[in-house]
Each structure stands twice: as C-alpha cells, then as structure tokens.
Amino acid sequence: MNSGTVVESPPLRNRIAVFRDRAHAGEVLAGLLAELRLERAIVLAIPAGGVPVAVVIADALSLPLDVAVVSKITLPWNSEVGYGAVAFDGTVRLNDELIARSALEPEEIERGIERATRKVTRRLTRLRGARPMPDVRGMTPVLVDDGLASGFTMRVAVEAVTKGGGSGLVVAVPTGHEASITTLASEVDTVCCANRRGGWGFAVADAYRAWSDVDEIEATRLLAACWGRGARG
C-alpha cells in the first residue's frame, strides 16, 4: 500500500467558484505539477471532462498527451448512478456495497458491464482511432480529470495504468472531495488537487464559475489540435 503525497493550493481549500472554466483549472494545475519536476511524464486525460484540463497541462509543461478512457457501469433505472466502472484495457471494478443495496441480479450486472465496455470501445475509436495505448513502462503517468467526487472511475483508471507498467503515478484534478483524495493517495504516489474540499453535498461543478458538459465532438477537436502541435504520446 502506498502512502502518497497530496499537493494542493492552501488558499483554495474549501472554497467554491475558484476556476473560471476548465482551461483556467488546467493552468492552475500545471503550476502545481511544475513544482514536482516530473521526469519522463505523460499526461493521460479522462474523457470527456478531463480533456480540456489535460490539454492545457500538456501544452504548458511540454508533455505528451493521450487519453485513458473509462466508463461508469450505471444502474438500469438511473444512468447518473454508477455501481462500477470499466477501463480501456478491460479492467472492471464493482462497488459491492452499492450492488448489495440495489439488489441487482447477476444478469443485470453482466449487461451493465457489457454496455459500459461498448461505450469505452466506441470512445477509444472516436477519440484516438485504431492506435494502441501508449507504452507507459518507465514513464510517469499523470491521470487528469476535471474533478474527483467519489473517485471510483479514477481508481479504475489507476488500476489499468498500473497494470500497463506506469510508475510514480500521479493523479491531477482541479477539485476533489477530501475523502476521495485520501483514498486515492493510498493507491498512487501523488495526488495533485488544487481545490480540496470536505463536507456533504460535494459537486465538482461548484468549483467552476462557468460549467457545461464536454461532448465527444469537443473532446476530439481539442485532442486533435493538441496532437497537431506535437503533444501526442
């Protein structure tokens, strides 16, 4: 079990509306990451919301950029609630406690995994074509999303990237809940979170003054522009 370092911006602790938008959040995170002096690092964005943040970081730090696609496995009657997640390499993690509370049948769980797997496959094709994931062996992966609520999908991404041979793993998020940061810090080397918040009713969107969903079209455009500037992993 790791005992990872947590890097934050103390003036932003427990505040809301601290970022103009995701691009501004990426600028703030890039400043914190620069202080870590990472060697042989690669930025891996978690689509779709993590892409605008990661693009700014990759540009600012002159690092290669790619994506780590993950998808929640959602309840049949509520697409907003996930009881697990699937990663780009087929890694599956289930929330056994939530499954028990929801009284899901094994067949429903299997269907949910299949749906999430299809979504991951489709997103991989849409965002990066037929290219295989970059070889992260001997590199320091920096997993980036636009925020950390429960942290479940991020933990699946961490598991998948670790299986791929990445070392010195860093999770970088503009905002995150205290409990999720603590959990992740036990699984990675560093959690970089500018706006660390506790309490009930945590919402990622509360950290942003301008917030809207990022669709696959916008994520694809941003990635293509960044890769066109030579930032592909």
Side-chain angles (χ1 to χ4, degrees):
M1 184 74 74
N2 292 320
S3 180
T5 301
V6 177
V7 177
E8 64 176 303
S9 178
L12 302 185
R13 169 75 79 98
N14 285 324
R15 292 176 55 194
I16 61 171
V18 294
F19 307 116
R20 291 190 303 274
D21 51 23
R22 288 180 176 87
H24 178 222
E27 293 170 6
V28 175
L29 266 187
L32 293 180
L33 289 166
E35 297 176 7
L36 300 180
R37 301 185 183 279
L38 302 172
E39 296 184 1
R40 287 184 53 77
I42 180 170
V43 177
L44 298 175
I46 296 193
V51 172
V53 182
V55 163
V56 172
I57 292 171
D59 278 344
L61 302 182
S62 299
L63 293 175
L65 171 71
D66 216 297
V67 292
V69 178
V70 292
S71 176
K72 288 190 298 185
I73 308 168
T74 57
L75 293 172
W77 56 87
N78 189 341
S79 62
E80 297 300 315
V81 177
Y83 62 87
V86 174
F88 57 88
D89 69 337
T91 295
V92 176
R93 180 177 284 203
L94 298 175
N95 185 332
D96 294 328
E97 182 180 339
L98 180 56
I99 287 172
R101 291 204 311 269
S102 303
L104 286 168
E105 296 293 334
E107 294 80 7
E108 291 177 308
I109 296 169
E110 284 302 315
R111 286 195 294 271
I113 293 172
E114 289 170 5
R115 283 194 302 272
T117 301
R118 287 195 299 270
K119 180 179 178 180
V120 167
T121 300
R122 178 180 56 77
R123 272 198 163 179
L124 280 170
T125 302
R126 178 75 179 268
L127 295 173
R128 60 190 322 281
R131 281 186 50 158
M133 284 293 292
D135 186 352
V136 297
R137 288 174 294 182
M139 301 190 74
T140 301
V142 182
L143 278 163
V144 177
D145 206 348
D146 55 9
L148 195 71
S150 72
F152 202 87
T153 52
M154 178 63 81
R155 291 172 68 193
V156 176
V158 166
E159 184 177 345
V161 172
T162 301
K163 287 179 182 178
S167 59
L169 194 65
V170 178
V171 167
V173 289
T175 186
H177 191 273
E178 179 76 44
S180 298
I181 292 170
T182 300
T183 297
L184 264 176
S186 70
E187 301 181 11
V188 302
D189 284 68
T190 306
V191 177
C192 188
C193 178
N195 170 235
R196 188 173 178 177
R197 289 185 278 143
W200 296 97
F202 176 91
V204 168
D206 287 346
Y208 297 85
R209 297 196 287 278
W211 173 267
S212 61
D213 290 338
V214 178
D215 61 26
E216 290 182 9
I217 295 173
E218 176 67 3
T220 302
R221 184 190 68 78
L222 289 169
L223 289 168
C226 190
W227 289 334
R229 296 190 291 272
R232 188 152 199 163

